[in-house]
Amino acid sequence: MRLATLRVRGETRAARLDGDEYVLLPNPDVGALLATGPQWQQEATQQSGERLAVIDAVYAPVVPHPNKIICLGLNYATHIAEMGRDTPQYPTLFAKYDAALIGAYDAVTLPSVSDRVDWEAELGFVIGRPARHIGKADALGYVAGYTVANDVTIRDYQRRTREFLAGKTFEATTPVGPVLVTADEFGDAEPDLEIRCEVDGEVMQRSRTSDLLFGIADIVSYVSDIITLLPGDLILTGTPGGVGDGRDPKVYLKQGQTLRTVIEGLGETSNICLPEKDA
């Protein structure tokens, strides 16, 4: 099943994809649907309501206001090498705030205070039920589904301190969507999917999600020992090699460029880059 959060008549609505149409659900967004309880998948499947053609859909972030947005850094060997870092023994965690999130086809905001805006294609996943102290063997049962994301990063702000947050949560920089593909579509196993990032059609990153240093089950188990994961929580799993900051010479996003992030089987985000005053 594929779920989306759509902008409809000045508000958002959760929706289920049915062929070339979306069925609008009574929930205001996918996060709210997941929060209804363990029967959310059955309810989403059985609900019938107003229909909207896919061609007319306007996408909000697939979960607009997660309780938590948890991100991993340094989680592909190729990215660790290009950034000159040591291989971590434990997952490298940082956070974002929901003001950073944008829809799959919204503009990425290039902030007025920096010209070092970089791309980071990432597999995202969303938690489907509360998770605390979950063993790795059971961890995938707490994943609602998977989505496409780009952890657009303002590199100079990221490097002002040892902590990543400042460069990671600028407003309107992180596309997430267009849909959440439920975990059962992958046989409840960790997906092995091609992940790709393009800038104006030029491929900048290409890898497979199976190359993650810490996989989905590792992440759920580790994070759930730190804090209770809640339905709708969004986790971004890290980026492969090929970022602009790892190149010689370095390359960053510029006004008018189109940033496209594609994950096999999940879809794509496509976002024009606009300066802060125009975005």
Side-chain angles (χ1 to χ4, degrees):
M1 180 166 54
R2 293 170 183 255
L3 301 168
T5 297
L6 304 181
R7 297 183 178 117
V8 181
R9 296 184 291 271
E11 59 183 14
T12 60
R13 291 278 296 277
R16 181 188 77 243
L17 186 63
D18 182 13
D20 59 358
E21 294 181 316
Y22 280 106
V23 178
L24 299 186
L25 305 176
N27 318 90
D29 56 63
V30 170
L33 169 66
L34 299 177
T36 60
Q39 302 302 314
W40 65 265
Q41 195 161 3
Q42 181 179 345
E43 292 181 10
T45 302
Q46 294 177 347
Q47 289 280 357
S48 60
E50 180 183 352
R51 289 177 172 261
L52 181 70
V54 169
I55 195 171
D56 296 324
V58 179
Y59 296 90
V62 71
V63 181
H65 303 290
N67 180 269
K68 291 179 284 297
I69 306 169
I70 298 172
C71 310
L72 276 82
L74 308 175
N75 204 24
Y76 284 83
T78 51
H79 184 53
I80 294 168
E82 72 182 353
M83 303 308 277
R85 303 282 191 130
D86 295 329
T87 300
Q89 184 178 358
Y90 302 103
T92 301
L93 304 179
F94 59 93
K96 285 181 183 281
Y97 299 105
D98 60 6
L101 303 182
I102 60 174
Y105 303 103
D106 293 343
V108 165
T109 296
L110 301 179
S112 59
V113 295
S114 176
D115 59 2
R116 295 179 62 187
V117 183
D118 201 356
W119 54 85
E120 292 196 4
E122 307 210 3
L123 172 68
F125 68 91
V126 177
I127 297 297
R129 57 191 177 112
R132 179 67 169 163
H133 298 305
I134 304 303
K136 183 178 175 180
D138 299 319
L140 292 182
Y142 293 80
V143 176
Y146 300 91
T147 192
V148 181
N150 199 301
D151 177 27
V152 172
T153 300
I154 288 67
R155 293 295 185 193
D156 47 345
Y157 274 74
Q158 179 190 5
R159 294 214 170 89
R160 287 185 172 187
T161 65
R162 294 179 64 183
E163 303 297 331
F164 290 178
L165 179 104
K168 296 290 190 172
T169 195
F170 271 69
E171 291 186 8
T173 53
T174 306
V176 179
V179 297
L180 184 74
V181 180
T182 53
D184 59 325
E185 294 288 313
F186 303 98
D188 296 311
E190 298 207 16
D192 176 17
L193 308 173
E194 184 186 78
I195 180 170
R196 186 171 79 252
C197 179
E198 302 172 3
V199 178
D200 282 351
E202 180 180 356
V203 176
M204 299 297 189
Q205 295 176 284
R206 190 193 298 270
S207 187
R208 298 198 68 84
T209 60
S210 56
D211 290 337
L212 288 165
L213 178 62
F214 300 102
I216 310 304
D218 295 310
I219 296 167
V220 172
S221 180
Y222 185 78
V223 176
S224 73
D225 280 343
I226 300 168
I227 192 169
T228 301
L229 292 168
L230 298 175
D233 282 352
L234 173 64
I235 300 180
L236 306 187
T237 58
T239 198
V243 300
D245 200 67
R247 296 168 182 264
D248 185 15
K250 299 180 186 300
V251 182
Y252 301 109
L253 292 168
K254 294 180 172 56
Q255 177 178 346
Q257 290 185 319
T258 296
L259 176 67
R260 183 170 178 252
T261 311
V262 186
I263 301 183
E264 176 188 1
L266 301 184
E268 67 175 61
T269 63
S270 183
N271 312 89
I272 190 170
C273 298
L274 295 179
E276 189 169 1
K277 62 182 177 61
D278 296 333

